[in-house]
Amino acid sequence: MKILIQSIFGHRKPLLRSLGCRYFAASTEEYAKRNYANNVSEYNTVLGSLLAKRRPYLLRDVYDDMLLDGVQPSRDTFHSLIVGTMKGARLQDAFFFRDEMRKMGLVPDVNFYNFLISTCGKCQNSDHAVKIFEEMKKYEVKPNGQTYVCLLNACAATGRLDRVYAIIRDMTAAGAGLNNFCYAGLITAYMNKTPLSDDTAMKIIEFVEQSKGWSSVESASYNAENVMMSVSEEELYNLPTAEYVNRRGGFLNRQFAVYHVAFVACADLRNVQAMETLLEMLKKDGKYPDIFIWMQAMRCYLLSGDIDNGLRILDEYRNSGKAIAIELYTTLAEGAMVGYTPKGMQLAQDILVEMSSRNYNLNPKLGSELLLLAAGEKTGGYTNANYIWDLMQAREITPSFPAVEAYYNGLRERAIPEDDPRLRLVSQTLDSIRHRGFGVGTGFYNR
């Protein structure tokens, strides 16, 4: 098992996929060092580690090694593989593993198909999601409540209102009530429809109101496998709160799923009136917004150019005596920088300094998003971008490639000497990221 763990987090053997065989002439010890694992149980443990570490790009490598080792994948193996492709939004790999599962004589079950439909939604491909649903009928795999909600949200991701309403008709005809994730999908569908309807904000309010009487779609169908695979319903249905589900300290009230999607939609629409209506609805129901909702309310004000009300939300939260999540600081800082006004840039700088003085440390994602936005400043002293870079360097955090590239280009535009230490370090970091590959963050505008 020590070798197994080293293969993931330490020594990484050269991949032999292109060769189609192993170097069997190597000694037993050398072979073991190259190998991921020795049996199906160990391989399943490796896959579980990759899922926990969010490394879906290695799933095909592990699977190829299993076959080269003559290890027969089990049903659990394929379930781990499909969950990994869902989490990584790797649609091509998802279909590859489905086909491989069939070759092994294993018939995908309803949970496998649910994960596959969810992957289609994450990849903005509702056509394939519908085909998967038809395939289930062909192979006589009975859909459950989750299947319909996965399909509804997959179609909502591409704004296919016609399909969303058709799914709802099928559900209601079968006697199934709509749950909060169905109403969240309706809001998403309206937001993704092209072009946007003039009544989108009104529809959002209506769906939130209707959702108050929601009924559970097979409330017991959230099964043990999803829990064991660490797949929340928010992630399965591709809700914007998926990455915050496990946060504590009042960050997320999961009963507010429809409100969460609605507040994100209002912020994206920059519709302050609709957002404030939602806040009033919560208040009338005797409910207090969670941190995620405050983030979106702040974001709505800031994207609408109302910096003062954005700051007011942070001040009120600070005065409440509750613990402040770092996202409240970074949301305000990012929003203040939108438009790069002198007032906004100064406020962002003050917030970043306060955040640092209170020992709130940036992680790679938040730091990269801040740096990417700050690096777009065309005038001024580039103070915020430099400060964010320095904060991340102090913790030995490397920003994402887009953030480093934008920061590098911004420095070059300021006629900084080629031998400047900061410029040289940024250039070296950029080259290093290019050589090992890079990813893209979410950003403030579509958070």
Side-chain angles (χ1 to χ4, degrees), residues 42-73:
E42 290 186 357
Y43 269 110
N44 287 344
T45 302
V46 170
L47 292 173
S49 299
L50 292 177
L51 294 184
K53 291 291 182 179
R54 297 276 177 169
R55 295 180 178 177
Y57 50 87
L58 293 177
L59 295 174
R60 286 285 292 269
D61 297 335
V62 175
Y63 182 77
D64 286 349
D65 280 5
M66 288 187 75
L67 300 188
L68 289 169
D69 282 343
V71 176
Q72 178 76 18

Side-chain angles (χ1 to χ4, degrees), residues 264-318:
V264 170
C266 289
D268 291 342
L269 290 172
R270 307 186 183 197
N271 192 319
V272 172
Q273 183 179 357
M275 181 272 293
E276 291 178 340
T277 299
L278 290 175
L279 287 176
E280 283 297 318
M281 290 170 66
L282 269 175
K283 185 178 179 180
K284 288 179 181 178
D285 291 340
K287 298 175 181 177
Y288 189 79
D290 57 21
I291 294 176
F292 183 84
I293 288 177
W294 284 129
M295 278 174 55
Q296 300 310 316
M298 182 186 294
R299 212 174 129 249
C300 187
Y301 281 127
L302 295 168
L303 288 176
S304 302
D306 190 346
I307 293 178
D308 293 335
N309 268 317
L311 178 59
R312 176 182 58 80
I313 289 179
L314 180 62
D315 287 338
E316 290 180 359
Y317 204 88
R318 276 186 296 210

Side-chain angles (χ1 to χ4, degrees), residues 25 63 75-76 81 104 129 167 195 198 201 209 228 269 273 275-276 341 362 403 429:
Y63 182 77
R75 183 175 293 276
D76 288 342
L81 290 168
M104 300 291 174
I167 295 166
D198 294 335
E209 190 64 46
M228 187 171 62
L269 290 172
Q273 183 179 357
M275 181 272 293
E276 291 178 340
T341 64
L362 294 173
T429 303

